[in-house]
Amino acid sequence: MKSKTSIFIPARMKSTRFPGKPLAPIDGIPMVIYCAKNALRTGLEVYVCTDSKEIEAICNVYNINCIITPECETGTDRIAHAVQQIETDYIINLQGDEPLIIPSYLLKIISMIANLKNSENTIITGVSPITSKEASDKNNVKCSLIDNYTKIEYLSRKPLINSIENSNKSSYYKQVGVYAMSTKVLEKFSKLPSGKLEKAEKVELLRWIENGYTVRCCLIENETISIDTPADLVKVISKINNN
């Protein structure tokens, strides 16, 4: 029987740096809806998962599937609650503050799901090359890559260099807010306790690495911007308007 993949978008209103950001308008619609519409263009089922009745109401207005969850520490933990109500074999975790992750980027990571069938205990995450200036931004989660740039060894909010200067590879990469994993891996992830490194870096995928499991890379060459602050929102709107 053919396996099923679904896209989940975790969203919460209580961001410390940008409260209420899922409803910040982009191109005339709330950000979380903008992200959901991008996801729907892949042809997969899409679910917003949230503990906010306000976000649920907005999703209902736009006919976007929405699942109410308890309050959760991370977006992946939130999806673990939501997926209990859905029958699916693989999940794409699309962060609700990544409106520049367009369908072609999603389809690239979706195409890699076939690799998960023969690779238990693996999560795939998007990565993108960044400049040394961007590597100093603590809002960007940097990646240390190994195995010919296919596997993540470590993640940090501090710069992590990957190659010598003037090589044909970028020196710095950031994690992009889209992951792929099986529902079995998602369940296992959600049952693991938060690790010391995860708490120190505030990067949830370190929980998986700390427990000896594998995080693989999906290279997204084009620029993406995670909206962490109102200033990021201005950058994203400018970029969308200039395309």
Side-chain angles (χ1 to χ4, degrees), residues 115-149:
N115 300 330
L116 296 179
K117 296 177 182 179
N118 300 315
S119 184
E120 290 186 12
N121 298 324
T122 296
I123 294 173
I124 301 169
T125 186
V127 302
S128 181
I130 55 174
T131 65
S132 56
K133 182 179 179 181
E134 290 171 315
S136 65
D137 183 350
K138 66 180 180 181
N139 290 325
N140 286 328
V141 175
K142 275 69 68 175
C143 310
S144 174
L145 308 179
I146 58 173
D147 290 358
N148 196 27
Y149 289 70

Side-chain angles (χ1 to χ4, degrees), residues 105-122:
Y105 304 167
L106 291 169
L107 288 170
K108 185 173 184 180
I109 198 168
I110 290 165
S111 73
M112 294 179 69
I113 284 177
N115 300 330
L116 296 179
K117 296 177 182 179
N118 300 315
S119 184
E120 290 186 12
N121 298 324
T122 296

